[in-house]
Amino acid sequence: MDLSKSLRLAIAEKGVKHKDLAKQLGTTSQQISNWLKSGAIKQSSLLPVSQALDLSVSEFVALGE
């Protein structure tokens, strides 16, 4: 399971900008960049991130497999 890959692919598929995703999640675009680099997305953030990208958690995670 590679969550950075999941995030990168979901952002590309949905055509979402980092700053727009960050705004939806109440975080910074720097945090989005950190997630993309490290893949260290907290379990508590998976649901909000997947919802913001209009995916279920399982769909989001599956992108990185």
Side-chain angles (χ1 to χ4, degrees):
M1 172 172 62
D2 182 348
L3 294 179
S4 62
K5 181 179 178 183
S6 296
L7 185 57
R8 189 171 48 256
L9 290 172
I11 287 172
E13 282 182 12
K14 302 295 180 173
V16 176
K17 295 181 181 178
H18 294 188
K19 68 178 183 177
D20 295 333
L21 180 58
K23 187 175 180 179
Q24 273 188 288
L25 296 171
T27 191
T28 64
S29 56
Q30 180 63 42
Q31 181 62 55
I32 304 300
S33 294
N34 290 342
W35 288 341
L36 286 167
K37 290 177 187 172
S38 70
I41 301 172
K42 293 180 184 176
Q43 188 172 0
S44 61
S45 298
L46 284 177
L47 181 60
V49 169
S50 61
Q51 287 176 334
L53 294 166
D54 198 29
L55 296 167
S56 69
V57 173
S58 60
E59 289 171 326
F60 177 76
V61 170
L63 287 173
E65 294 180 343

